[in-house]
Amino acid sequence: MSGSANPQPGGPLLGGPADPEHDPSAAYVLDRGYVDRLTSRLQASSGRTFAVNSPIDGAPLAHIPASTPADVAEAYVRARRAQAAWARVPVETRAAAMLRLHDLILDRQAEIIDLIVLESGKARKHAFDEPLHIALTARYYARTAERFLGTERRGGVVPGLTRVEVNQVPKGVVGIISPWNYPFTMALCDGLPALLAGNAVVAKPDEQTMLSALLGARLLDEAGFPEDLWQVVAGPGPEIGPPLIEGADYVCFTGSTATGRVIAGQCAERLIGCSLELGGKNPLLVLRDADLERAAEGAVRASFSNAGQLCVSTERIFVADQVYDRFVERFVARTEAMTLGATLDWGNDMGTLVSQAQLDRVMAHIDDAVAHGARVLAGGRARPDLGPYYVEPTILEGVTPEMACFAHETFGPVVSLYRFHDEADAVARANEGDYGLNAAIFSHDGARARSLARHIKCGSVNINEAFAASFASLDAPMGGMRSSGLGRRQSREGILRYTEPQTVATQRLLRFAPMLGMSEEAYAKLMTANLRVMKRLGRA
Ligand code: NAI
Ligand code: MG
């Protein structure tokens, strides 16, 4: 594993006049005017600020004004006002703004990626996935929103006499709580369908990665969305989360299962809905007929994309006995050949973890596994020479249930290898535990892999791919079973979570009561006869 430690400054956001509070030892100094343009987008009146640090060197990148609960309430007042007008804007006008956002994202990708890399420390190629995913999401929903949101005719109880239509009415203001691991795409992607469906948004991005989220808000403004429609508040989750949920008509959360449970409880109190995209302990199966080069290449991306800080990344690999040694040799070789570095250029295969907390958690999992007898086949060490929170991509063998990384999500570049003898056993082991987010199967026999997939308790199963095939197929739902979540993003499900279906039924001629002096008893008989006829006619 080769490493490179030289930072490579670039992009429009670096190099201007610095924040007076800036740390002179920092590798990157953000232009002060640039930061001010972003932070002025916040609803924040506390007079307090908090630092956003770059994991590349651990030094502060910017100081972010903190919001108070009163600011959150004010954000809802503004959002509600904007939403009332927005709900009357035709869907095609909303969609046109979304397509402008698509173009802006592609045109401004260098700036977006620079900021993501500086704030998250991820490899540039993994940061690229973020504008890519937002552009895909913007185009997908711009092109499908009218179809999903249009008023739909449904069958009436009395054919020909009961006309039934279903409208999709926006919920109102959606509260979005997003994490640091994909600070740009996770701050935006769930909000785009919410806007298209006629809602406003109050967003609370993770406090560690506010700048990427604020750049997203600025790009929405530039695309022509009314500014008040997308509010951003800043601060610690336990402080800002409760007022955010208090004001919302629906909550969309991405983050840990523990926080997801807290949020679901608060939404339940208020009888509002929520969607939760939570953790995973995602399995990858290499069947005996797999193309082993392809499986090894896929396993590297599955395990180490974004340094494993990805909800759908693989943490457990089950390999058929017959091919175990040959697969492991290839997987280890590819892992050892990875280029590591926390820099702005395209050369790195993996960047750094985001924070000291992530470093502690990942090293605790590795150290615990090693202490209990697991073998390290690749990596296994922190790399302070590359960055303060750097950990090597790590492959473990001999992991047993008493080790923390057997069942608990590591959320880092650590993967465990297990052998299996028969596929039913592999599926049963893949299904152990409480999670159910994503799985992958490598096999030459697509049909057999698809039939195995039906038995895996995960919201998505990728065949001969790690996670991108399902994740980027926006016409299909994405989300978790069991403790991995509630509800789905993407596709029809991902936009209709933000609407209330409203049924409008128009009745002609017939009343639902006895007519022309008919007795209740005769009416009941007539209705009973009608039901029998309807069934005979094969009606639903
Ligand atoms: P977290 O779930 O605590 O944070 C995610 C978001 O929730 C942040 O915006 C945070 O400010 C907010 N939040 C925290 N507590 C809150 C509360 N009481 N009310 C409302 N909002 C609240 O995750 P954290 O602590 O950053 O990471 C811990 C672990 O969670 C990771 O190691 C990983 O296992 C998992 N995680 C999973 C993610 C995913 O994509 N599914 C993303 C981030 C973390
Ligand atoms: Mg937390």
Side-chain angles (χ1 to χ4, degrees):
M1 284 171 226
S2 59
S4 114
N6 0 315
Q8 296 214 349
L13 54 169
L14 293 166
D19 185 326
E21 286 182 82
H22 99 273
D23 176 344
S25 71
Y28 298 97
V29 178
L30 288 183
D31 179 87
R32 190 181 177 187
Y34 186 85
V35 172
D36 288 348
R37 263 196 310 285
L38 297 183
T39 55
S40 66
R41 195 58 182 69
L42 275 169
Q43 206 56 248
S45 71
S46 69
R48 286 179 288 122
T49 63
F50 60 91
V52 161
N53 297 324
S54 175
I56 293 179
D57 61 359
L61 263 183
H63 292 86
I64 308 289
S67 304
T68 62
D71 292 322
V72 179
E74 173 63 16
Y76 275 103
V77 169
R78 292 178 187 220
R80 281 204 189 283
R81 209 182 297 134
Q83 193 269 332
W86 181 246
R88 290 189 296 270
V89 171
V91 175
E92 56 178 314
T93 309
R94 298 177 203 157
M98 208 50 83
L99 290 174
R100 288 195 297 275
L101 177 72
H102 170 272
D103 294 348
L104 258 176
I105 298 276
L106 296 184
D107 293 346
R108 299 270 287 279
Q109 60 173 294
E111 171 193 348
I112 297 167
I113 295 172
D114 279 348
L115 195 57
I116 294 170
V117 173
L118 291 178
E119 228 181 9
S120 70
K122 65 179 66 183
R124 191 167 192 89
K125 67 179 184 183
H126 300 144
F128 169 70
D129 291 344
E130 302 204 37
L132 181 72
H133 183 244
I134 290 302
L136 280 170
T137 304
R139 170 164 56 87
Y140 173 74
Y141 278 120
R143 294 265 157 83
T144 55
E146 267 195 280
R147 170 155 57 88
F148 293 145
L149 298 170
T151 295
E152 220 185 311
R153 277 294 279 274
R154 300 277 179 97
V157 61
V158 186
L161 299 184
T162 317
R163 174 197 167 113
V164 173
E165 290 173 345
V166 176
N167 297 324
Q168 297 298 337
V169 180
K171 292 231 158 138
V173 185
V174 175
I176 298 183
I177 301 175
S178 58
W180 45 263
N181 60 334
Y182 281 76
F184 183 75
T185 191
M186 285 299 137
L188 279 181
C189 72
D190 289 301
L192 303 187
L195 294 183
L196 275 167
N199 299 279
V201 167
V202 178
K204 195 217 80 64
D206 194 283
E207 54 276 30
Q208 299 168 77
T209 50
M210 285 301 304
L211 295 170
S212 304
L214 287 166
L215 176 56
R218 274 290 172 225
L219 292 168
L220 287 169
D221 304 341
E222 288 181 42
F225 291 94
E227 209 173 296
D228 275 348
L229 201 60
W230 186 278
Q231 299 287 325
V232 190
V233 292
E239 224 172 89
I240 295 302
L244 187 104
I245 294 164
E246 199 50 50
D249 299 307
Y250 186 85
V251 173
C252 171
F253 171 75
T254 305
S256 64
T257 296
T259 302
R261 284 188 210 284
V262 171
I263 288 171
Q266 291 168 356
C267 290
E269 275 301 314
R270 295 203 50 234
L271 290 179
I272 58 169
C274 59
S275 56
L276 309 169
E277 207 266 88
L278 310 174
K281 191 74 194 172
N282 306 306
L284 181 153
L285 276 57
V286 181
L287 306 190
R288 62 179 180 278
D289 65 348
D291 174 336
L292 296 181
E293 269 322 321
R294 185 166 179 179
E297 187 275 336
V300 167
R301 275 184 299 114
S303 312
F304 306 131
S305 283
N306 208 33
Q309 301 170 119
L310 167 59
C311 54
V312 290
S313 81
T314 295
E315 297 199 355
R316 302 180 294 155
I317 302 184
F318 298 91
V319 188
D321 235 350
Q322 298 89 334
V323 296
Y324 186 90
D325 293 334
R326 280 179 290 147
F327 168 79
V328 170
E329 185 191 318
R330 286 167 172 78
F331 181 40
V332 168
R334 282 178 179 273
T335 301
E336 285 182 336
M338 287 171 71
T339 311
L340 312 182
T343 59
L344 276 172
D345 59 82
W346 289 97
N348 305 317
D349 291 321
M350 199 186 91
T352 169
L353 298 178
V354 78
S355 63
Q356 184 68 43
Q358 276 294 107
L359 175 71
D360 292 346
R361 176 186 173 115
V362 171
M363 286 315 296
H365 274 200
I366 295 173
D367 293 345
D368 164 75
V370 170
H372 289 89
R375 292 175 297 283
V376 177
L377 302 189
R381 293 177 306 162
R383 289 290 297 271
D385 56 316
L386 298 177
Y389 317 129
Y390 223 104
V391 176
E392 290 175 341
T394 299
I395 305 174
L396 299 175
E397 196 183 47
V399 169
T400 54
E402 71 269 17
M403 301 176 194
C405 70
F406 181 85
H408 296 288
E409 183 177 45
T410 305
F411 215 64
V414 181
V415 68
S416 307
L417 292 169
Y418 304 93
R419 277 174 195 271
F420 70 84
H421 305 286
D422 76 87
E423 286 167 8
D425 173 52
V427 169
R429 287 158 70 191
N431 284 338
E432 274 178 18
D434 298 328
Y435 288 122
L437 194 56
N438 180 58
I441 304 175
F442 283 80
S443 165
H444 261 307
D445 185 345
R448 205 169 92 253
R450 280 190 292 277
S451 94
L452 272 190
R454 288 176 156 273
H455 302 287
I456 294 183
K457 295 172 183 163
C458 283
S460 52
V461 181
N462 284 270
I463 294 168
N464 294 327
E465 223 326 297
F467 52 79
S470 67
F471 200 91
S473 296
L474 295 174
D475 202 29
M478 187 269 152
M481 296 184 184
R482 308 198 282 183
S483 298
S484 289
L486 206 58
R488 296 291 184 268
R489 64 161 60 101
Q490 305 187 169
S491 76
R492 174 188 294 275
E493 290 83 347
I495 190 165
L496 294 187
R497 66 188 149 154
Y498 299 127
T499 61
E500 293 283 4
Q502 177 199 47
T503 299
V504 178
T506 311
Q507 187 60 34
R508 291 199 300 136
L509 303 172
L510 191 73
R511 282 179 282 132
F512 291 93
M515 287 192 292
L516 309 166
M518 184 187 267
S519 73
E520 291 290 351
E521 189 180 359
Y523 174 72
K525 279 199 176 126
L526 176 66
M527 291 305 281
T528 303
N530 278 341
L531 291 186
R532 295 194 202 285
V533 170
M534 289 295 191
K535 187 195 169 216
R536 233 173 287 130
L537 292 174
R539 300 202 60 114

